[in-house]
Amino acid sequence: MKKIINNVENIAAEMVSGFVKTNPAKFKQLPETLAVARVDDDFVNGTNVGIVSGGGSGHEPLHLGYVGKGMLSAAIAGQVNTSPTPDQIYKAIKYADKGKGVLLIVKNYAGDVMNFDMAKELAEFDDITVKTIIVNDDISVEDAEDTQGKRGVAGTVLVEKICGAAAQNGMDLNSLAELGQKVIDNTKTIGLALSAATVPAVGHPGFKLAEDEMEYGVGIHNERGYATEKLAPSAVIANELVNRIMKAFGSTNGEFAILVNGLGATPLMEQYIFANDVVNKLNELNIKISFAKVGNMVTAIDMHGISLTITKLENDWKSYLRQDAQTVAW
Amino acid sequence: MKKIINNVENIAAEMVSGFVKTNPAKFKQLPETLAVARVDDDFVNGTNVGIVSGGGSGHEPLHLGYVGKGMLSAAIAGQVNTSPTPDQIYKAIKYADKGKGVLLIVKNYAGDVMNFDMAKELAEFDDITVKTIIVNDDISVEDAEDTQGKRGVAGTVLVEKICGAAAQNGMDLNSLAELGQKVIDNTKTIGLALSAATVPAVGHPGFKLAEDEMEYGVGIHNERGYATEKLAPSAVIANELVNRIMKAFGSTNGEFAILVNGLGATPLMEQYIFANDVVNKLNELNIKISFAKVGNMVTAIDMHGISLTITKLENDWKSYLRQDAQTVAW
Amino acid sequence: MELSTEKTIDWIERWVEYIKQNVTALNELDTAIGDGDHGTNLNRGTQAVKKALAEEKPQTLPLVYRTTAMALVSTIGGASGALFGTAFLTMARLSKDGETKLETLLLEANEAMKKRGKSDVGMKTLIDLWDPATKAFRDHKLTRSYIQNCVDKTKNMKASKGRSSYLRERSIGHIDPVAKSSSYLFIALLEVLEEDK
Amino acid sequence: MELSTEKTIDWIERWVEYIKQNVTALNELDTAIGDGDHGTNLNRGTQAVKKALAEEKPQTLPLVYRTTAMALVSTIGGASGALFGTAFLTMARLSKDGETKLETLLLEANEAMKKRGKSDVGMKTLIDLWDPATKAFRDHKLTRSYIQNCVDKTKNMKASKGRSSYLRERSIGHIDPVAKSSSYLFIALLEVLEEDK
Ligand SMILES: Nc1ncnc2c1ncn2[C@@H]1O[C@H](COP(=O)(O)OP(=O)(O)O)[C@@H](O)[C@H]1O
Ligand SMILES: Nc1ncnc2c1ncn2[C@@H]1O[C@H](COP(=O)(O)OP(=O)(O)O)[C@@H](O)[C@H]1O
Ligand SMILES: [Mg+2]
Ligand SMILES: [Mg+2]
Ligand SMILES: [Mg+2]
Ligand SMILES: [Mg+2]
């Protein structure tokens, strides 16, 4: 395993420290936590609903890169691929609350859901109103009753952006939770890997793909996908992902946002080529794209791969997406 | 070679197309070129000095990601690792000129320098005033008279940011060229690779490093560095780069900006850990950091590695760096 | 039955030791159907418990449970951190409210974890150990072989909670890692009670 | 001496063909001391020249040179694109201004490239072929073996321009790729002139 680190145990702590130290005017680390929080005047003197997210490390810039005006109030990093702990989440909620309550944006993994749930109970004990929305945009896994349900992946950042902008504009907690849930229901993602990620504590790639293989439907923790196939041209991959996602939507009416997301080790060169193919395919299907984003937004450590997220836009979502955000990574 | 592409010949063209198609409101592609240019009202109705940059593809988001208000007016992409051609550069200059002249920011490679030079002559033939500055921040190569001189690497983006902000504020061409040259003289970079990039037309990594090796001083086109060593902890690497760069500055007085730059396949996790070590080391040396940036800013396709850039700040440079920029990648 | 503060600490510390001895084995169980970190997660948590008990020296039963719960909850972070944390927090709360019967504390801990995980027996989780084990303990029927039997039964279950649930049918044939790590808690309890006799 | 428009096209097309036949060899020379793309670069450029000459059918000498220059310059992009482009643009400009002597055109092209590259003889570039070759041509002394000799001489030079200059001493022992590709231009010229006789 080749990584620029000091030791495996300190990865999350040193990463958060590096993030805060290179942005000292905008963020601080909450005491005794791996939580990054806003310190700008707008926040300090503000009275908006707080938005808190977090999760295991390894998906950077998610979530710390999205802390800032117009997105998150605070974000908590767990150990690599491990949910943050309730005490730290609780501290972030407490810091984010301005008397109007706090929205928790949680990716649908058992550890995250339960730890955020415990934090919510701690905060409610302090009379802070807390609502939780669970992001589950990965349609490469079935949404069956007898499983954990779909995973939360790249679509999370669109949920954070839309809710963040609405909160910035003064929306109340109940409406925000409703809005967030609607965005989640309208957001679908599929991932593709050319090679797996190396989890530092494990020391080797999570699974092996041959020199001429790729895998459709992977998750952001090396979860295997729905099909291993021969490596195909970008346009073929774009067709598969667009078709599968649009089939899940059922209809091509309305306006859509797209997110082409690099999974960590994928050069932007490949991401833009793939984005070109996605847009071509959507144009061919007469699907209206009102917002597009390309880049490493929600990664899987050093996975070489890409994901495509499509959100069907309603109401003001387009303007929420386009609204200015003062974060490091949006 | 595993890449998400369609075919090797079309990489630059499809990439530029994907970039413009996902940002149609902000940019356009100049006809018959791989040049990306601003179309926002501020630019269209503006009268500032134009700033044009460009170079071989493979360093994304450089340069297209830095087109926008407060940075570049236009950027031209060449084929992978190959300078753009004079006719295309000329068209970008012509588009960028608002009667106040155009500054060319060129990285110090023979191909780039000569092709931009030819474009400059074409533009001067049209009575457009053009000034060129040559970025050569890579201090891992000697600045000897009998060589091409130092290479232009990650520091380029700081030059583009500072000059872009100054141009946005109305600075004239001569002052801009002087400013840019001063920033270049005050900017020093060293790169480090854990593994080489795979140039698509070549199909395999440009050089081999063993599982436990890294190389100090690499360039962004797989140019070999000054020392191949055993893979060391992040803090050791930070010490080496900081010490070598600060030794080149001679003095630790004043204020400095730092750029920790991922070379393409390096997860942000590693970049922030390394940034943490760099800041710790600079703090130890009592060096004042007034601006810091971390991310994939100037890449080498899919190289796994990092570079550190330090700029000694003068006058208003700090505020130029902090000034808002409406680009995709700053 | 009631367990003294001292014995309770002894019990928990024996569990801590069992986890330490079985980190790799637990990781391997989690590798088969999860993300391979259960041993590491729980060892981080239980070592924090050991340290906290040594430093804070809690003198009452509720405090022992609370110290244990907080250490687990604040150092694990995974699914198991929330679950074991919920169990011990429940035992802390009830014992503080005056409940002294260990049977009741354990039964209520089991119910609280079901609620926390929205899970029940048959889902291939720690509930498949806790639910039968706590009931057998209440009925004075808990034995080592009964515990082992509960653990083994998870092998042929299809997971429907947590990461392993994505594997659907492929989760069958592997023991659930938290059922296994929970089994050490009940084995440690039997040991402490046997010494008493 | 003067070369007709027709003969000039013949000359350039022979060069185009030489480059096509030697793409891999030129890439290999550039791999040793550069970035390995000189053959690919120049072949892209010269194939564009061939296409442009066929499509535009330039009828005058200045137009032939101009078409050649623009095709090279607008498709190569590397160091060699600017250099060969400068050479042919210079020949286009001078012939348009009435200069008809091929010797003069070539000598001036060489000077223009020196200026473009801030380079001179001894720096292990195409100048080490062009400078002696154009002077020998002026003096009616240009032969195949002389050309080959100039190419070979670059082998023991230390590069001080372009990518190869970073290699310092290690650039010694390899032929310069643009000296080699330029040699085909002069060999093609000899061929055209020989046929004339
Ligand atoms: N909702 C749930 N209810 C009960 N147990 C669960 C639930 N979700 C996950 N688990 C259990 O948690 C175990 C995994 O624990 P651990 O590896 O420590 O956490 P993580 O899954 O976060 O890596 C699984 O074996 C599974 O039995
Ligand atoms: N300043 C210069 N003057 C003359 N020749 C140069 C100069 N810089 C580079 N060259 C020549 O260009 C050649 C490389 O051409 P090519 O491979 O096509 O371009 P690139 O270096 O951009 O890949 C080198 O072999 C070198 O001799
Ligand atoms: Mg885990
Ligand atoms: Mg080249
Ligand atoms: Mg696990
Ligand atoms: Mg070359």
Side-chain angles (χ1 to χ4, degrees):
Chain A
M1 174 183 68
K2 277 186 147 178
K3 291 190 188 283
I4 304 173
I5 58 174
N6 291 300
N7 72 64
V8 169
E9 281 73 40
N10 291 349
I11 284 177
E14 293 180 13
M15 179 180 74
V16 170
S17 170
F19 181 84
V20 174
K21 280 180 190 160
T22 48
N23 296 284
K26 291 182 194 150
F27 312 115
K28 73 168 179 182
Q29 192 171 345
L30 299 181
E32 286 169 68
T33 71
L34 297 183
V36 170
R38 291 176 61 180
V39 294
D40 54 284
D41 292 345
D42 266 309
F43 172 78
V44 172
N45 307 321
T47 58
N48 290 323
V49 172
I51 304 200
V52 169
S53 190
S57 291
H59 310 306
E60 296 68 33
L62 192 78
H63 298 271
L64 40 69
Y66 304 121
V67 176
K69 185 174 173 179
M71 284 187 83
L72 304 178
S73 315
I76 317 100
Q79 299 305 310
V80 177
N81 284 0
T82 305
S83 160
T85 59
D87 52 320
Q88 299 197 13
I89 303 168
Y90 161 72
K91 283 176 189 153
I93 295 173
K94 221 173 148 98
Y95 182 82
D97 180 48
K98 297 284 179 177
K100 301 282 171 59
V102 174
L103 179 71
L104 302 183
I105 301 178
V106 182
K107 303 196 292 305
N108 189 30
Y109 301 96
D112 294 74
V113 171
M114 292 192 281
N115 281 286
F116 273 81
D117 225 32
M118 292 185 79
K120 178 172 186 272
E121 288 166 18
L122 293 171
E124 283 168 346
F125 203 80
D126 288 357
D127 291 324
I128 300 174
T129 322
V130 180
K131 291 246 168 196
T132 304
I133 53 175
I134 311 278
V135 186
N136 61 349
D137 55 317
D138 187 349
I139 64 161
S140 64
V141 281
E142 266 180 284
D143 196 14
E145 270 299 310
D146 60 345
T147 71
Q148 182 69 33
K150 291 179 295 161
R151 301 178 289 243
V153 290
T156 310
V157 70
L158 300 180
V159 177
E160 293 182 357
K161 181 65 179 75
I162 291 174
C163 290
Q168 180 66 36
N169 297 357
M171 189 179 278
D172 68 77
L173 180 58
N174 282 330
S175 313
L176 269 177
E178 248 175 63
L179 168 66
Q181 188 56 53
K182 254 197 211 153
V183 175
I184 293 167
D185 296 340
N186 279 290
T187 297
K188 300 182 196 305
T189 300
I190 302 179
L192 168 99
L194 273 57
S195 64
T198 296
V199 175
V202 176
H204 56 78
F207 54 90
K208 272 266 168 214
L209 289 173
E211 244 319 284
D212 61 347
E213 280 178 351
M214 61 179 187
E215 181 149 321
Y216 284 117
V218 294
I220 56 176
H221 309 90
N222 276 337
E223 295 98 335
R224 297 301 297 255
Y226 60 79
T228 307
E229 299 199 355
K230 289 273 169 234
L231 182 60
S234 169
V236 172
I237 300 170
N239 273 10
E240 160 69 13
L241 299 193
V242 167
N243 284 336
R244 196 173 271 256
I245 292 175
M246 292 314 300
K247 199 178 150 198
F249 274 117
S251 152
T252 59
N253 292 337
E255 294 183 42
F256 294 83
I258 62 170
L259 166 64
V260 169
N261 174 55
L263 290 174
T266 315
L268 266 182
M269 179 188 273
E270 300 177 31
Q271 297 179 41
Y272 276 115
I273 289 172
F274 178 73
N276 186 50
D277 290 316
V278 167
V279 173
N280 287 347
K281 179 71 188 168
L282 290 171
N283 287 345
E284 195 185 303
L285 298 173
N286 279 315
I287 290 167
K288 177 149 199 242
I289 309 167
S290 299
F291 181 87
K293 192 100 187 165
V294 181
N296 292 343
M297 306 296 284
V298 177
T299 61
I301 311 178
D302 56 354
M303 184 177 277
H304 183 192
I306 211 158
S307 69
L308 174 64
T309 302
I310 304 185
T311 298
K312 184 172 184 336
L313 299 173
E314 295 189 357
N315 311 320
D316 302 325
W317 300 5
K318 182 166 63 182
S319 62
Y320 289 142
L321 284 170
R322 291 177 182 173
Q323 192 170 311
D324 186 43
Q326 305 279 335
T327 69
V328 165
W330 176 257
Chain B
M1 174 182 70
K2 276 186 149 177
K3 291 190 189 283
I4 303 174
I5 58 174
N6 290 301
N7 72 63
V8 169
E9 282 73 40
N10 291 351
I11 284 177
E14 293 181 14
M15 179 180 74
V16 170
S17 170
F19 181 83
V20 174
K21 281 181 190 160
T22 49
N23 295 285
K26 291 181 193 152
F27 312 116
K28 73 168 179 184
Q29 192 170 343
L30 299 181
E32 285 170 69
T33 71
L34 297 183
V36 169
R38 289 176 62 179
V39 294
D40 54 283
D41 292 344
D42 266 310
F43 172 77
V44 172
N45 307 321
T47 58
N48 290 323
V49 172
I51 305 199
V52 169
S53 189
S57 290
H59 311 306
E60 296 68 33
L62 193 78
H63 297 268
L64 42 71
Y66 304 120
V67 176
K69 186 174 174 182
M71 286 186 82
L72 305 179
S73 315
I76 316 98
Q79 300 304 311
V80 176
N81 284 358
T82 304
S83 162
T85 59
D87 51 321
Q88 299 197 13
I89 303 168
Y90 161 71
K91 283 177 189 151
I93 295 173
K94 216 168 154 104
Y95 182 82
D97 180 49
K98 298 282 179 178
K100 302 283 171 59
V102 174
L103 179 71
L104 302 182
I105 302 178
V106 182
K107 302 194 295 304
N108 189 29
Y109 301 97
D112 294 76
V113 171
M114 292 192 282
N115 282 287
F116 273 81
D117 225 32
M118 292 184 79
K120 178 171 184 275
E121 288 166 18
L122 292 173
E124 284 167 345
F125 204 82
D126 288 355
D127 291 323
I128 301 174
T129 322
V130 180
K131 291 247 169 196
T132 303
I133 53 175
I134 311 277
V135 185
N136 62 350
D137 55 317
D138 187 351
I139 64 162
S140 65
V141 282
E142 265 180 285
D143 196 14
E145 270 299 309
D146 59 346
T147 71
Q148 182 70 32
K150 292 179 294 159
R151 301 179 288 245
V153 289
T156 310
V157 69
L158 300 179
V159 177
E160 294 182 356
K161 181 65 180 75
I162 292 174
C163 290
Q168 180 66 35
N169 298 357
M171 188 179 278
D172 68 77
L173 181 59
N174 282 329
S175 313
L176 269 177
E178 249 176 59
L179 168 65
Q181 188 56 52
K182 256 198 208 152
V183 175
I184 293 167
D185 296 340
N186 278 289
T187 297
K188 300 184 196 304
T189 300
I190 302 179
L192 168 99
L194 272 58
S195 64
T198 296
V199 175
V202 176
H204 57 78
F207 54 89
K208 271 268 167 211
L209 289 173
E211 244 319 285
D212 62 346
E213 280 180 350
M214 61 180 188
E215 182 149 320
Y216 284 117
V218 294
I220 56 175
H221 309 90
N222 276 338
E223 295 97 336
R224 297 301 297 254
Y226 59 79
T228 307
E229 299 199 355
K230 290 272 170 234
L231 183 59
S234 168
V236 172
I237 299 170
N239 272 9
E240 161 70 14
L241 298 193
V242 167
N243 284 337
R244 195 173 272 255
I245 292 175
M246 291 314 300
K247 200 177 149 198
F249 274 116
S251 151
T252 58
N253 292 336
E255 294 183 41
F256 294 82
I258 62 170
L259 167 63
V260 168
N261 174 54
L263 290 174
T266 314
L268 266 181
M269 178 188 273
E270 299 177 30
Q271 297 180 40
Y272 276 115
I273 289 172
F274 178 73
N276 186 50
D277 290 316
V278 167
V279 173
N280 287 347
K281 179 71 188 170
L282 290 171
N283 287 345
E284 193 185 306
L285 298 174
N286 279 315
I287 290 168
K288 177 149 198 239
I289 309 166
S290 299
F291 180 87
K293 192 101 187 166
V294 180
N296 292 344
M297 306 295 285
V298 178
T299 61
I301 310 179
D302 56 354
M303 184 177 277
H304 184 191
I306 211 157
S307 69
L308 175 65
T309 302
I310 304 184
T311 299
K312 187 175 184 331
L313 299 173
E314 296 189 356
N315 312 318
D316 303 323
W317 301 4
K318 182 166 63 182
S319 63
Y320 288 142
L321 284 171
R322 291 177 182 173
Q323 191 170 311
D324 185 42
Q326 305 278 337
T327 69
V328 165
W330 175 257
Chain C
M1 62 142 306
E2 292 176 16
L3 205 64
S4 69
T5 306
E6 210 173 40
K7 289 275 163 193
T8 303
I9 293 177
D10 183 20
W11 168 35
I12 292 169
E13 284 180 341
R14 281 170 190 259
W15 182 50
V16 171
E17 198 52 34
Y18 267 117
I19 299 304
K20 191 176 168 185
Q21 297 307 326
N22 290 284
V23 175
T24 317
L26 291 171
N27 278 344
E28 275 165 17
L29 291 179
D30 195 31
T31 299
I33 55 169
D35 60 351
D37 61 2
H38 180 59
T40 308
N41 284 348
L42 197 56
N43 191 49
R44 182 170 66 240
T46 49
Q47 286 303 313
V49 168
K50 186 177 169 179
K51 194 162 161 254
L53 290 174
E55 284 175 9
E56 298 175 22
K57 297 191 188 20
Q59 299 294 329
T60 67
L61 215 46
L63 282 179
V64 170
Y65 287 134
R66 206 193 125 82
T67 301
T68 303
M70 292 314 294
L72 291 172
V73 130
S74 65
T75 56
I76 298 187
S80 53
L83 291 164
F84 284 118
T86 297
F88 283 100
L89 266 185
T90 303
M91 289 161 67
R93 187 171 44 74
L94 290 180
S95 60
K96 194 175 167 219
D97 289 351
E99 179 58 63
T100 54
K101 280 184 68 186
L102 182 56
E103 295 89 332
T104 310
L105 298 180
L106 287 171
L107 286 165
E108 289 300 319
N110 177 48
E111 293 306 317
M113 287 194 292
K114 285 186 189 170
K115 247 179 96 181
R116 174 69 64 214
K118 299 193 177 59
S119 43
D120 212 328
V121 287
M123 292 178 167
K124 196 181 184 105
T125 69
L126 78 178
I127 301 302
D128 292 308
L129 187 286
W130 277 75
D131 196 81
T134 53
K135 284 171 183 161
F137 183 62
R138 175 195 60 196
D139 303 339
H140 308 288
K141 287 181 191 159
L142 189 69
T143 62
R144 281 180 172 72
S145 65
Y146 186 81
I147 294 171
Q148 190 54 47
N149 197 29
C150 294
V151 170
D152 290 343
K153 270 189 177 164
T154 65
K155 193 164 175 172
N156 288 323
M157 292 179 181
K158 194 178 96 188
S160 51
K161 285 288 164 184
R163 297 179 195 288
S164 46
S165 70
Y166 300 126
L167 299 176
R168 314 299 299 266
E169 267 61 40
R170 280 175 292 153
S171 66
I172 296 172
H174 303 276
I175 283 171
D176 181 62
V178 261
K180 184 71 185 175
S181 60
S182 295
S183 77
Y184 295 122
L185 185 68
F186 287 90
I187 290 170
L189 179 56
L190 290 182
E191 286 175 7
V192 171
L193 296 178
E194 282 157 10
E195 284 200 349
D196 245 11
K197 286 176 191 161
Chain D
M1 62 143 305
E2 292 176 17
L3 204 61
S4 69
T5 305
E6 209 173 42
K7 288 273 162 197
T8 304
I9 292 177
D10 183 20
W11 168 35
I12 292 170
E13 284 180 342
R14 282 170 189 260
W15 181 50
V16 170
E17 198 51 35
Y18 267 118
I19 299 304
K20 189 175 169 189
Q21 298 306 326
N22 290 283
V23 176
T24 316
L26 291 170
N27 278 345
E28 274 164 19
L29 292 179
D30 195 31
T31 300
I33 56 169
D35 59 353
D37 61 3
H38 179 59
T40 308
N41 283 348
L42 198 55
N43 191 50
R44 182 170 65 241
T46 49
Q47 286 302 314
V49 168
K50 186 177 170 182
K51 194 162 161 257
L53 289 174
E55 283 175 10
E56 298 176 20
K57 298 190 185 23
Q59 301 292 333
T60 68
L61 215 47
L63 282 180
V64 169
Y65 287 133
R66 207 194 123 81
T67 301
T68 303
M70 290 316 292
L72 290 172
V73 130
S74 65
T75 56
I76 297 188
S80 53
L83 291 163
F84 284 118
T86 298
F88 282 100
L89 266 185
T90 303
M91 289 161 65
R93 187 171 45 74
L94 290 182
S95 60
K96 194 175 170 218
D97 290 350
E99 178 61 60
T100 53
K101 279 186 69 185
L102 183 56
E103 296 88 332
T104 312
L105 297 180
L106 287 169
L107 286 164
E108 289 301 318
N110 177 48
E111 293 306 319
M113 287 194 291
K114 284 185 189 171
K115 247 180 96 182
R116 174 70 62 214
K118 299 192 177 59
S119 43
D120 213 329
V121 287
M123 292 179 168
K124 198 181 182 102
T125 69
L126 80 178
I127 302 300
D128 291 307
L129 187 284
W130 277 75
D131 197 81
T134 52
K135 284 170 184 161
F137 183 63
R138 176 195 60 197
D139 303 340
H140 308 287
K141 287 182 188 159
L142 189 69
T143 62
R144 279 179 175 71
S145 66
Y146 186 81
I147 293 170
Q148 190 54 48
N149 198 28
C150 294
V151 170
D152 290 343
K153 269 187 178 166
T154 66
K155 192 163 176 173
N156 287 323
M157 293 179 181
K158 191 173 94 162
S160 52
K161 285 288 164 186
R163 298 178 196 287
S164 47
S165 70
Y166 300 126
L167 298 175
R168 313 301 298 266
E169 269 62 38
R170 281 173 292 152
S171 65
I172 296 171
H174 303 276
I175 282 170
D176 180 63
V178 262
K180 182 72 186 174
S181 59
S182 296
S183 75
Y184 295 123
L185 185 68
F186 288 90
I187 291 170
L189 179 57
L190 290 183
E191 286 176 6
V192 171
L193 296 179
E194 282 158 8
E195 283 200 351
D196 247 11
K197 282 173 195 161

